Amino acid sequence: MARKFKFYCVKSWSTCKKAKAWLLQKQIEFEEIDLLKSPPDLEELKHLAGLADLQVKDLINRKSQVFKKLQPDLSSLLPEELAALVQENPRILIRPLLSDGSILLIGFKEEKYQQLLTQQ
């Protein structure tokens, strides 16, 4: 049975475009989730973070323009508040995210994608 991947991205983001092109070139089937149209809720954020042995706040891109503009204090926010922040500002997430339900890859590094695909 083929593995099912979820690919979380912002379609206009250059790194997301590169990752998507790589997946298409390798003929990998995936469900594309546009973060701007369907930002993950708290449960999904917790699940994704847990796959990488992280906390939800670790999925926040501290270098993003949105993060710099908002300057949220991540250490004081509850997971529910973080989820609300992501729902309102999905560009604050690190992207792309690729998951098969058992592992999460954050960002796009070709060698990491290749490793994931060769694992069974």
Side-chain angles (χ1 to χ4, degrees):
M1 187 169 124
R3 290 161 73 190
K4 296 189 187 275
F5 290 94
K6 286 189 176 184
F7 179 67
Y8 300 81
C9 67
V10 172
K11 291 181 180 192
S12 62
W13 189 249
S14 63
T15 307
C16 292
K17 287 179 182 179
K18 287 178 194 169
K20 182 178 177 179
W22 190 91
L23 290 168
L24 291 171
Q25 178 197 1
K26 300 291 184 184
Q27 300 180 337
I28 306 303
E29 288 187 40
F30 60 92
E31 174 188 354
E32 184 173 356
I33 298 163
D34 184 338
L35 291 169
L36 300 182
K37 292 180 181 174
S38 301
D41 62 16
L42 177 60
E43 289 309 309
E44 194 166 6
L45 287 169
K46 283 182 177 179
H47 174 71
L48 291 170
L51 293 175
D53 204 21
L54 300 171
Q55 296 179 8
V56 171
K57 68 180 178 181
D58 298 321
L59 297 177
I60 303 298
N61 182 358
R62 291 163 174 82
K63 296 178 184 175
S64 81
Q65 295 299 320
V66 175
F67 181 85
K68 290 177 181 178
K69 186 172 136 188
L70 297 173
Q71 296 184 333
D73 180 3
L74 297 179
S75 62
S76 70
L77 293 178
L78 297 171
E80 294 80 10
E81 295 169 318
L82 271 172
L85 185 66
V86 168
Q87 290 278 314
E88 293 168 21
N89 305 282
R91 282 188 166 92
I92 205 168
L93 278 177
I94 295 174
R95 57 202 183 266
L97 300 172
L98 181 68
S99 176
D100 67 354
S102 62
I103 194 166
L104 176 71
L105 295 182
I106 300 169
F108 176 60
K109 292 196 173 31
E110 190 172 327
E111 61 276 7
K112 294 287 186 190
Y113 272 47
Q114 189 64 50
Q115 285 175 359
L116 176 64
L117 297 177
T118 56
Q119 293 173 354
Q120 293 302 322

